[in-house]
Amino acid sequence: MSRQDGGMTPSSTRATTDRRRDAVALTAVCLVALMFGLEISSVPVILPVLERVLHADFLDAQWIMNAYTLACTSVLMAAGTLADRYGRRRVLVASLWLFGLASLACGWATSAPLLIAARFAQGVGAGAMMICQFAILSQQFREPAARSRAFAVWGVVAGIGLGFGPLVGAAIVALADWRWVFLVHAPLTLLTLGLVRASVQESRDPDAHRLDMAGMFTLTLAVFALVCFITLGTVQGFANALGLALLAVALVSVGVFIAAERRSAHPMFDFSVFRIHRFNGALMGSMGMNFSFWPFMIYLPIYFQSALGHDLMHAGWALLAYTLPTLLVPPLAERLALRHGAERVIPGGLGLMALAFLLMAAGNAHGSDTLVIAACLVAGIGLGLTNSPVTNTSTGAVSAARAGMASGIDFSARLITLALNIALMGFVLVSGIARHLGDARPGAGPEELLQMAQAVAAGKLDTLPDAASSALAQAALRQGFGEVMLYAGIGVGLLALASRAFFRRSRRSVCLVPVGADADLR
């Protein structure tokens, strides 16, 4: 019987209920993205505070960030497989509990080692919940138009977390206490858990494969050993026995990982995708962003507060100039990619970042804070132009059946490159400071110079033994940062050239592949 009184039919009521449930599910997933972004970009700005309050040194500050990154990398592929096998909603709920409890542990930490351990646990939860959210969005929003809108909203919220994180971290420290940078995630996690339980439908992949334990373990061990080797080299040099042993472990682990993946029936990494030039061109973009922009953000608070002399809030505003374009530029990047092709936009964005870091180095050398801030804006624009086209191109370059695996390789490349370059930038920074101090104090021994350089790199400018120490330490810090800027600019510039070369080879391959051939060969 039809309803003539303006009431709702059962089908329309059900549709309205479904829309409301989907809106709640989208809110939950967006909160996941917001927390993940805030935890990446709000912590760097409080590192100088953590060093002072927890009596941490420069290496502790590196590990406070890298523990989170390495944990995300180690759990990335495993979480996707577990979610497919046991349920995306179930794994998301478990990872949210772990993230929330680890955030409490971070806020209650009384020493740097405890904070580093809690950050590792937090990174495990964060990596797992990030992987789950993509599958949940795809499952919850089946229609292409609704899915596109959902991912657009998700992208904006994720950008807000990353873009405004530095200012949020600075404001929390100014108004309350550094602990709330971590503790704030506890109530947000509880809210998210409630929304997930009320709205997210359980989903599984009935054809999910077994967990690739060999690949996961050897890849994690290789990255961890290599990061430890670089970090230890910053303190003791690279010729010591422990450092060489770590390097050997890293190399052997890489070899075992490659062998295990080639023999696996269902590998975590399918190396055949590296024969696809377009995929490689996008992968150079993933590496370029995390070779320069993201690892440098961890050191920028020290630069603004110690090398340039700004207070915490001014440093937060300066960091906002660095990150805000990453939120505003992506819609323009998508239009440019559609009009001119990702093969032009991705190398162009990388090239813009290279130019920005070279300009930053020039501004640092000439004492121009204005040029440094302008260069930060340019770097953010370059990243905004690169990020979204890289993701779309890496998954679109392969067949639909391998899109998830390609996305996993892309995300892994980002996190591995980020972890390695946090350590490498720290080495470049300390080495540059030590050289400047050595020129000013020719009588100091190598070990003494290295110890002073690490203290200066942590922003402790009163570490030198005479009255002129502060000015000398600040000058040494600026020189060290100038070398880091050059390192980032040259590195991302070379990756821009490599990306461009791969895309050109891809175009030539498309012209040579016969009609009807496998698209993956292109």
Side-chain angles (χ1 to χ4, degrees), residues 206-233:
D207 300 319
H209 304 304
R210 287 184 179 181
L211 193 62
D212 184 4
M213 291 297 298
M216 183 182 70
F217 176 75
T218 51
L219 179 62
T220 302
L221 182 60
V223 176
F224 183 78
L226 192 54
V227 169
C228 287
F229 167 70
I230 298 168
T231 305
L232 186 67

Side-chain angles (χ1 to χ4, degrees), residues 8-21:
M8 297 181 68
T9 65
S11 60
S12 63
T13 302
R14 188 164 52 251
T16 301
T17 302
D18 289 345
R19 284 195 298 271
R20 288 174 179 170
R21 186 182 61 219

Side-chain angles (χ1 to χ4, degrees), residues 52-117:
R52 184 178 66 254
V53 173
L54 299 180
H55 307 290
D57 58 22
F58 179 66
L59 296 183
D60 291 331
Q62 285 184 295
W63 279 111
I64 287 169
M65 293 305 302
N66 245 343
Y68 185 86
T69 305
L70 288 170
C72 285
T73 305
S74 65
V75 79
L76 195 61
M77 292 295 186
T81 302
L82 290 173
D84 289 344
R85 197 169 186 182
Y86 297 106
R88 285 78 180 247
R89 181 178 181 268
R90 179 180 295 176
V91 173
L92 176 61
V93 168
S95 61
L96 279 166
W97 274 113
L98 177 58
F99 181 82
L101 292 173
S103 297
L104 288 176
C106 288
W108 291 335
T110 55
S111 67
L114 287 176
L115 179 57
I116 291 167

Side-chain angles (χ1 to χ4, degrees), residues 82-91 132 135-140 142 200-206:
L82 290 173
D84 289 344
R85 197 169 186 182
Y86 297 106
R88 285 78 180 247
R89 181 178 181 268
R90 179 180 295 176
V91 173
C132 292
I136 286 172
L137 280 180
S138 298
Q139 180 70 22
Q140 199 88 18
R142 300 292 186 89
V200 174
Q201 301 172 354
E202 185 60 280
S203 63
R204 294 178 178 85
D205 180 1

Side-chain angles (χ1 to χ4, degrees), residues 226 269 274 277-296 322 346-347 349-351 353-354 357 382-383 386-391 394 406-422 424-425 487-499 502-503:
L226 192 54
F269 275 36
F274 296 117
H277 300 313
R278 190 170 178 83
F279 178 82
N280 290 334
L283 197 63
M284 295 301 104
S286 295
M287 294 171 62
M289 292 183 292
N290 294 279
F291 199 99
S292 54
F293 186 92
W294 292 118
F296 191 67
Y322 191 68
I346 292 173
L350 293 175
M353 278 188 276
F357 278 99
L383 184 115
T386 307
N387 193 22
S388 180
V390 160
T391 302
S394 62
S407 177
I409 292 178
D410 171 50
F411 202 24
S412 295
R414 295 182 188 220
L415 291 175
I416 290 170
T417 312
L418 175 60
L420 291 175
N421 277 284
I422 290 173
L424 284 169
M425 282 188 177
Y487 164 82
I490 293 170
V492 72
L494 292 174
L495 287 167
L497 294 175
S499 177
F502 277 120
F503 280 122

